[in-house]
Amino acid sequence: SILGTSPDARYLAGRIGLTIRERLVTALGPDHDPRVLAALEFGYAGAMVHAGMGFTTYGQVADRLADTARLIMKGAR
């Protein structure tokens, strides 16, 4: 499990987290609000947990994350 405590799981979780952060920073641009970045990362992590627990499918995650991002960005103005 990626949420495990083994060195391999921690390494993989760190790499995935860094990749997601880099993509979000690129999408937000250089003058982004750090609170928006944190909210989007939190939404992503929550979506992955939801899917991992079977509350939603990984296929549905993209649409739900897009809705979440739109709401966060709308409120950030």
Side-chain angles (χ1 to χ4, degrees):
S1 166
I2 195 164
L3 298 177
T5 58
S6 74
D8 288 342
R10 286 180 184 241
Y11 173 78
L12 185 57
R15 293 285 303 165
I16 291 170
L18 181 60
T19 298
I20 295 305
R21 174 174 283 244
E22 289 170 349
R23 290 180 181 188
L24 288 171
V25 166
T26 297
L28 291 170
D31 296 327
H32 69 272
D33 182 338
R35 296 172 302 163
V36 171
L37 174 61
L40 291 170
E41 286 180 313
F42 198 73
Y44 178 84
M48 293 297 103
V49 170
H50 245 238
M53 295 177 70
F55 296 137
T56 189
T57 66
Y58 286 102
Q60 294 168 320
V61 165
D63 290 337
R64 295 185 77 181
L65 276 174
D67 289 343
T68 300
R70 278 191 284 276
L71 289 169
I72 290 169
M73 297 305 295
K74 183 177 178 182
R77 294 182 190 174

